[in-house]
Amino acid sequence: MLESYVTPILMSYVNRYIKNLKPSDLQLSLWGGDVVLSKLELKLDVLEQELKLPFTFLSGHIHELRIHVPWTKLGSEPVVITINTMECILKLKDGIQDEHESCGSNSTNRSPAENTKSSVKPGRIQQTAPTDPDLPPGYVQSLIRRVVNNVNIVINNLILKYVEDDIVLSVNITSAECYTVDELWDRAFMDISATDLVLRKVINFSDCTVGLDKRNASGKIEFYQDPLLYKCSFRTRLHFTYDNRNSKMPSIIKIHTLVESLKLSLTDQQLPMFIRLMQLGIALYYGEIGDFKDGETEDPACHSKDALGSLAGTEDETRIDMQYPAQYKGQEFYSQDCEEPQGWVSWAWSFVPAIVSYDVGEEDYLGSDPASTMHQQKVQTLKDPIVSVGFYCTKATVTFKLTEMQAESSYYSPQKVKSKEVLCWEQEGTTIEALMMGEPFFDCQIGFVGCRAICLKGIMGVRDFEEHMNRSEAEACFFICGENLSTKGLTYLTNSLFDYRSPENNGTRAEFILDAAHHKETYTKIAGMQRFGAFYMDYLYTVEHSRGKGPANQQDFPSGKNEDLGIVQEKSTKSLVIGPLDLRLDSSAVHRILKMTVCALEHEYEPYSRLKPESKNEKETVLNPEEVASLEEYIPTRHTSVTLLKCTCTIFMAEFNLLDRLLPVIMGGKNSSNFMNATNFQSLRPLPSIQILVDKINLEHSVPMYAEQLVHVVSGLPQPSDSLLHYCYVHCYLKVFGFQAGLTSLTHSGSYCLPVPIIPSFSTALYGKLLKLPALWTKRSQTVVTEGIFELPNLTIQATRAQTLLLQAIYQSWAHIGNSSSSTVNEALMNEVFQTTGVKAKNPLPTLEGSIQNAELKYCSTSLVRCASGTVGSIKICAKAPGDNGKEKLIPLLQGPSDTRDLHSTKWLNESRKPESLLAPDLIAFTTQVPQHMDDCHLSGAVFLCSVQGLAVNIDPVLYTWLLYQPQKRTNRHMQQQPVVAVPLVPAVSRRKEEELSAGSAPLAKQQSYQASEYASSPIKTKTVTEIH
């Protein structure tokens, strides 16, 4: 009588999701071994309830459902469930109507009877299985576990559609199959044993096609765009680890997906819709969708969830953000308000039990088994399983296309959309990994090994990269970052289920780092770049209880009540690292980047979330001293760190310039001009360019996690402490190390000339902070609204007149818009700037060199005034000109501060002017204050204070010589015979110290005239020190 035990379980699954199903007919078909059901409708309310998605199912149909049960071999062959043609249509809930429902989502067309059924146990077939004395309960449990663990699910032709505004997103999967496998990931009939407490499954997806189209006002799609993804196949491996054979919930869950080749296509009409969908994902993650109400009371029914459903206690950072009470009485006053929308992490975590566990009412069919009763008692004490989700892609390409309407030859023929590829992004070794253990711990790591961007065909009528142009791939590639998989290896698959060295593939139990401090020590930026090489991001969110060091779990928060929570410490950190990159901004690249920007701005959608008006809550409760002290103990913040390493940017002279058609659209205007049909593109060689090299750029950003609630509280305190005021601001730190620039030229062979330095290496720093919700601080006129500090220890600029003329020519090529033909460069000017290596010029040009030291600027503003102050330590300008006996001489032209008491004597001009003391006063020091509104001048007047030390100016004939230079042609043709130095596009990571002054990818010429002079670089004093760390 196995049918008496197995049939109700299979029927419960089918009846739970299928409408108008007769249990008697289904039972008779199952006992025959096969059942075929056609034209079925899904129970949309049950799907919404169990998935807990912020979407509404508009329709759900199954064309055919087949169930095959091998009754004679039930212990050795799997039950096969086949679905032929399943189609579902979803849309975003109107106003997120779920936020006004207590603990679940109900369909708009749901009947009261369905609500009553689903509130108890949806889809449960209320019948009792007979008791057979020949089948002991232990055998029944073992059999049911084997059957459920080996069920094969096959879906043929799965169609999912999502509609919103004019967007229609469709996903079509030709075939998807889920089956159980052995330790070698081969198809097998497996069960959990005492020696191997592991269950493995594989899901194969074949021919996945994703379309993104635009519909008109009537809901019809007039022109179908090229699919985003066409016939892509990928496989997913699932690995479940149990603590014992009787465990219903796995202790470790791993779900990893691998795609060998991912080819995406994006047209100009699909780009704004694609950005809209990305914004939807971000809004769902942060729980920003919907209109939120203040002062809503907590519903006690919200805490009566199933223990295997959403876990009670803390939520992710966005969920807690929405659950703050209006008065914000410290961290110990969190509330669990189910009327607020939950974040993505909370939703994902609540859905985990539905994936890994079989029917929740399965015990009802096991009779009065004591073991099952004991299991029900232990359900409530289950620990949070560790969930690891990963996506891995070997090679991905994204092709950007421009579309245009093309009419057929016949007048009555319909128009067709013709697309042309203009840009391609290639990426290798992509990894997206997420690790969760309960809602208080979430970590996401994203990285890839290498990437590059390539220009394709033509842009805006200019045929710069057509097939008949025969241009090299190096010319087409304008962005390179990271390494290749051939040299890096398969590091992106480390510890995944597709890595043969992973613990799961070697029969051992995997270990995970779930402590925030240990996590940061292990997954550092250096470790991330060693694994990937191009890009690495680590996002970590943890919730720690004040009474313990480890992450909080559901035992710490059993009921979600405020008095049980205590002080909760939330931490959110994002760390991003971008490896060595080379960016080449020529006309082809700039026009393609700006064209993509224009296409993204052509359609405007309503934002998903709208900011609340910055109004003061008149009924706000004032905190007592104990609550203020509790608030000061810990205030959660979101911290973001972005680091760029070894950046090289080359800005070429514009070979064609059609920015007048792109910039107006970006600036908010309309594009009324059409594309022109230009002649074939002619490349310009040699092509001068500005090359910029930066050793390191570091950006730090911090913002309070609950800014609105915090500001409402702190702004109402009579005398808030400096610590509380500090967390009411958004803070931003920017540090630039090793910035240098120079001139170079791209030759006919595709190599670069030896760079000529213009700006030697220097470092700088910038700090700024902005007050959150300034409208709430109007009564505090002394509170700083914005503040900024800029520091520049040293900056030197050196150039000959020929070099400045070449810089001017490069600037004018981009400033004079409307030029579609190649520009020309004065050959004599190029010969003068890029001289032959090793050949000494007969009449070398003088070089002007200017230096600014210890510059500092401060700015702040309040609700009444704006203030600025700054200092400049010294300014020096000198000329380096050829002297007697071939030696170079320095001619001072301007110096400050300087002791002007001896300025009248000729001795001043003949001696080296160095500072007398490092404690000399600043050359310029100023302070200014102006009112925010001129009408308030009677309340706060304007002030300007300035102090200037002695400044010496020397007008020398060398300055006249420098200004009157004009390029002249030379008799020799050394430009054509000049040897060039091949320079790699991506600079080497390790360099010698003497090569750190490079302005490009190769060391600068080590000539005395090209280095900052001792006169210009001599320090006067140092107030701030900028170090690389």
Coordinates of all heavy atoms in Angstrom, one line a residue, residues 757-799:
P757 N 57.2 65.3 -20.4 CA 56.5 65.7 -19.2 C 56.0 67.1 -19.2 O 56.8 68.0 -19.6 CB 57.5 65.4 -18.1 CG 58.8 65.6 -18.8 CD 58.7 65.1 -20.2
I758 N 54.8 67.3 -18.7 CA 54.3 68.7 -18.5 C 54.0 68.9 -17.1 O 54.4 70.0 -16.5 CB 53.0 68.8 -19.3 CG1 53.2 68.6 -20.8 CG2 52.4 70.2 -19.1 CD1 54.1 69.7 -21.4
I759 N 53.5 68.0 -16.4 CA 53.2 68.1 -15.0 C 53.9 66.9 -14.3 O 53.5 65.8 -14.4 CB 51.7 68.1 -14.7 CG1 50.9 69.2 -15.4 CG2 51.4 68.2 -13.2 CD1 49.4 69.2 -15.2
P760 N 54.9 67.2 -13.5 CA 55.6 66.1 -12.7 C 54.6 65.6 -11.7 O 53.6 66.1 -11.4 CB 56.8 66.8 -12.1 CG 57.1 68.0 -13.0 CD 55.7 68.4 -13.4
S761 N 55.0 64.4 -11.1 CA 54.1 63.7 -10.1 C 53.8 64.6 -8.9 O 54.7 65.3 -8.3 CB 54.8 62.4 -9.7 OG 54.0 61.8 -8.7
F762 N 52.6 64.6 -8.5 CA 52.1 65.3 -7.3 C 50.9 64.6 -6.7 O 50.3 63.7 -7.4 CB 51.8 66.8 -7.6 CG 50.5 67.0 -8.3 CD1 49.3 67.2 -7.6 CD2 50.4 66.9 -9.7 CE1 48.1 67.4 -8.3 CE2 49.2 67.1 -10.4 CZ 48.0 67.3 -9.6
S763 N 50.6 64.9 -5.5 CA 49.5 64.3 -4.8 C 48.6 65.4 -4.2 O 49.1 66.6 -3.9 CB 49.9 63.4 -3.7 OG 50.7 62.4 -4.2
T764 N 47.3 65.1 -4.0 CA 46.4 66.1 -3.5 C 45.3 65.4 -2.8 O 45.1 64.2 -2.9 CB 45.8 67.0 -4.6 OG1 44.9 68.0 -4.1 CG2 45.0 66.1 -5.6
A765 N 44.5 66.1 -2.0 CA 43.4 65.6 -1.2 C 42.3 66.6 -1.1 O 42.5 67.8 -1.1 CB 43.9 65.2 0.2
L766 N 41.1 66.0 -1.0 CA 39.9 66.8 -0.9 C 38.9 66.1 0.1 O 38.7 64.9 0.1 CB 39.2 66.9 -2.3 CG 37.9 67.7 -2.4 CD1 38.1 69.1 -2.0 CD2 37.2 67.5 -3.7
Y767 N 38.3 67.0 0.9 CA 37.4 66.5 1.9 C 36.1 67.4 1.9 O 36.2 68.6 1.7 CB 37.9 66.5 3.3 CG 36.9 66.4 4.4 CD1 36.3 65.2 4.7 CD2 36.5 67.5 5.1 CE1 35.4 65.0 5.7 CE2 35.5 67.4 6.1 CZ 35.0 66.1 6.4 OH 34.0 66.0 7.4
G768 N 35.0 66.7 2.0 CA 33.7 67.5 2.0 C 32.7 66.8 2.8 O 32.7 65.6 3.0
K769 N 31.8 67.6 3.4 CA 30.7 67.0 4.2 C 29.4 67.8 3.9 O 29.5 69.0 3.7 CB 31.0 66.9 5.6 CG 31.1 68.2 6.4 CD 31.3 68.0 7.9 CE 31.3 69.3 8.7 NZ 31.5 69.1 10.1
L770 N 28.3 67.1 3.9 CA 27.0 67.8 3.6 C 26.0 67.3 4.7 O 25.9 66.2 5.0 CB 26.5 67.4 2.2 CG 25.1 67.9 1.8 CD1 25.2 69.4 1.7 CD2 24.7 67.2 0.5
L771 N 25.3 68.3 5.2 CA 24.3 68.1 6.3 C 23.1 67.4 5.6 O 22.5 67.9 4.6 CB 23.9 69.4 7.0 CG 23.0 69.3 8.2 CD1 23.6 68.5 9.3 CD2 22.6 70.7 8.6
K772 N 22.6 66.4 6.3 CA 21.4 65.7 5.8 C 20.1 66.5 6.2 O 20.1 67.0 7.4 CB 21.3 64.3 6.4 CG 22.4 63.4 5.9 CD 22.3 63.1 4.4 CE 21.1 62.2 4.1 NZ 21.1 61.8 2.7
L773 N 19.2 66.6 5.4 CA 17.9 67.3 5.6 C 18.1 68.7 6.2 O 17.7 69.0 7.4 CB 17.0 66.5 6.6 CG 16.7 65.0 6.1 CD1 15.9 64.3 7.2 CD2 16.0 65.0 4.8
P774 N 18.7 69.6 5.5 CA 19.0 70.9 6.1 C 17.8 71.7 6.4 O 17.9 72.6 7.3 CB 19.8 71.6 4.9 CG 19.5 70.9 3.7 CD 19.2 69.5 4.1
A775 N 16.6 71.4 5.9 CA 15.4 72.2 6.2 C 15.1 72.0 7.7 O 14.3 72.8 8.2 CB 14.3 71.7 5.3
L776 N 15.5 70.9 8.3 CA 15.2 70.7 9.7 C 16.1 71.5 10.7 O 15.9 71.4 11.9 CB 15.3 69.2 10.1 CG 14.3 68.3 9.2 CD1 14.6 66.9 9.7 CD2 12.9 68.7 9.4
W777 N 17.1 72.1 10.1 CA 18.1 72.8 11.0 C 18.0 74.3 10.8 O 18.9 75.1 11.2 CB 19.5 72.4 10.6 CG 19.8 70.9 10.7 CD1 19.5 70.0 9.8 CD2 20.3 70.2 11.8 NE1 19.9 68.7 10.2 CE2 20.4 68.9 11.5 CE3 20.8 70.7 13.0 CZ2 20.9 67.9 12.3 CZ3 21.4 69.7 13.9 CH2 21.4 68.3 13.5
T778 N 16.9 74.8 10.3 CA 16.8 76.3 10.1 C 16.9 77.1 11.4 O 17.3 78.3 11.4 CB 15.5 76.6 9.4 OG1 14.4 76.0 10.1 CG2 15.5 76.0 7.9
K779 N 16.4 76.5 12.5 CA 16.5 77.2 13.7 C 17.9 77.3 14.3 O 18.1 78.0 15.3 CB 15.5 76.6 14.8 CG 14.0 76.7 14.3 CD 13.1 76.1 15.4 CE 11.7 76.1 15.0 NZ 10.8 75.5 16.0
R780 N 18.8 76.5 13.8 CA 20.2 76.5 14.3 C 21.0 77.2 13.2 O 21.6 76.6 12.3 CB 20.6 75.1 14.6 CG 19.9 74.4 15.6 CD 20.4 73.0 15.8 NE 19.7 72.3 16.9 CZ 20.1 72.3 18.2 NH1 21.2 73.0 18.5 NH2 19.4 71.7 19.1
S781 N 21.2 78.5 13.3 CA 21.9 79.3 12.3 C 23.4 79.0 12.3 O 24.1 79.2 11.4 CB 21.6 80.8 12.5 OG 22.0 81.2 13.8
Q782 N 23.9 78.5 13.5 CA 25.3 78.2 13.6 C 25.7 76.9 13.1 O 26.9 76.6 13.0 CB 25.8 78.4 15.1 CG 25.4 79.7 15.7 CD 26.2 80.9 14.9 OE1 27.3 80.7 14.5 NE2 25.5 82.0 14.9
T783 N 24.8 76.0 12.8 CA 25.1 74.7 12.3 C 25.7 74.7 10.9 O 25.0 75.3 10.0 CB 23.9 73.7 12.4 OG1 23.4 73.7 13.7 CG2 24.3 72.3 11.9
V784 N 26.8 74.1 10.6 CA 27.4 74.1 9.3 C 26.6 73.2 8.4 O 26.3 72.0 8.7 CB 28.8 73.6 9.4 CG1 29.4 73.5 8.0 CG2 29.7 74.5 10.2
V785 N 26.2 73.7 7.2 CA 25.4 72.9 6.2 C 26.4 72.2 5.3 O 26.2 71.0 5.1 CB 24.5 73.8 5.5 CG1 23.7 73.0 4.4 CG2 23.5 74.5 6.4
T786 N 27.3 72.9 4.7 CA 28.3 72.2 3.9 C 29.7 72.7 4.3 O 29.9 73.8 4.8 CB 28.1 72.6 2.4 OG1 28.1 74.0 2.3 CG2 26.8 72.1 1.9
E787 N 30.7 71.8 4.1 CA 32.1 72.1 4.4 C 33.0 71.4 3.5 O 32.7 70.2 3.1 CB 32.4 71.8 5.9 CG 33.8 72.1 6.3 CD 34.1 71.8 7.7 OE1 33.1 71.6 8.5 OE2 35.3 71.7 8.1
G788 N 34.0 72.1 3.0 CA 35.0 71.4 2.1 C 36.4 71.9 2.4 O 36.6 73.1 2.8
I789 N 37.4 71.0 2.3 CA 38.8 71.3 2.5 C 39.6 70.7 1.3 O 39.4 69.6 1.0 CB 39.3 70.7 3.8 CG1 38.5 71.3 5.0 CG2 40.8 71.0 4.0 CD1 38.9 70.7 6.3
F790 N 40.4 71.6 0.7 CA 41.3 71.1 -0.4 C 42.7 71.4 0.0 O 43.1 72.5 0.4 CB 40.9 71.9 -1.7 CG 41.8 71.6 -2.8 CD1 41.8 70.4 -3.5 CD2 42.7 72.6 -3.2 CE1 42.7 70.2 -4.6 CE2 43.6 72.4 -4.3 CZ 43.6 71.2 -5.0
E791 N 43.5 70.4 -0.2 CA 45.0 70.5 0.1 C 45.8 70.1 -1.1 O 45.5 69.1 -1.8 CB 45.3 69.6 1.3 CG 44.6 69.9 2.6 CD 45.0 69.0 3.7 OE1 45.7 68.0 3.4 OE2 44.6 69.2 4.9
L792 N 46.8 70.9 -1.4 CA 47.7 70.7 -2.5 C 49.1 71.0 -2.0 O 49.6 72.1 -1.9 CB 47.4 71.6 -3.7 CG 48.2 71.4 -4.9 CD1 48.1 70.0 -5.5 CD2 47.8 72.5 -6.0
P793 N 49.9 69.9 -1.6 CA 51.2 70.2 -1.1 C 52.2 70.8 -2.1 O 52.9 71.7 -1.8 CB 51.7 68.8 -0.7 CG 50.5 68.0 -0.5 CD 49.5 68.5 -1.5
N794 N 52.1 70.4 -3.3 CA 53.0 70.9 -4.3 C 52.5 70.6 -5.7 O 52.0 69.5 -6.0 CB 54.4 70.2 -4.1 CG 55.5 70.8 -5.1 OD1 55.2 71.9 -5.6 ND2 56.6 70.2 -5.2
L795 N 52.6 71.6 -6.6 CA 52.2 71.4 -8.0 C 53.2 72.2 -8.9 O 53.4 73.4 -8.6 CB 50.8 71.9 -8.2 CG 50.3 71.9 -9.7 CD1 50.3 70.5 -10.3 CD2 49.0 72.6 -9.8
T796 N 53.7 71.5 -9.8 CA 54.7 72.1 -10.8 C 54.2 71.9 -12.2 O 53.8 70.8 -12.5 CB 56.1 71.5 -10.6 OG1 56.5 71.7 -9.2 CG2 57.1 72.2 -11.5
I797 N 54.3 72.9 -13.0 CA 53.9 72.8 -14.4 C 55.1 73.4 -15.2 O 55.6 74.5 -14.9 CB 52.6 73.6 -14.7 CG1 51.5 73.1 -13.9 CG2 52.3 73.5 -16.2 CD1 50.2 73.8 -14.1
Q798 N 55.6 72.7 -16.2 CA 56.7 73.1 -17.0 C 56.4 72.8 -18.5 O 55.8 71.8 -18.8 CB 58.0 72.3 -16.6 CG 57.9 70.8 -16.7 CD 59.1 70.1 -16.1 OE1 59.9 70.7 -15.5 NE2 59.2 68.8 -16.4
A799 N 56.7 73.8 -19.4 CA 56.4 73.6 -20.8 C 57.2 74.7 -21.6 O 57.4 75.8 -21.1 CB 54.9 73.7 -21.0

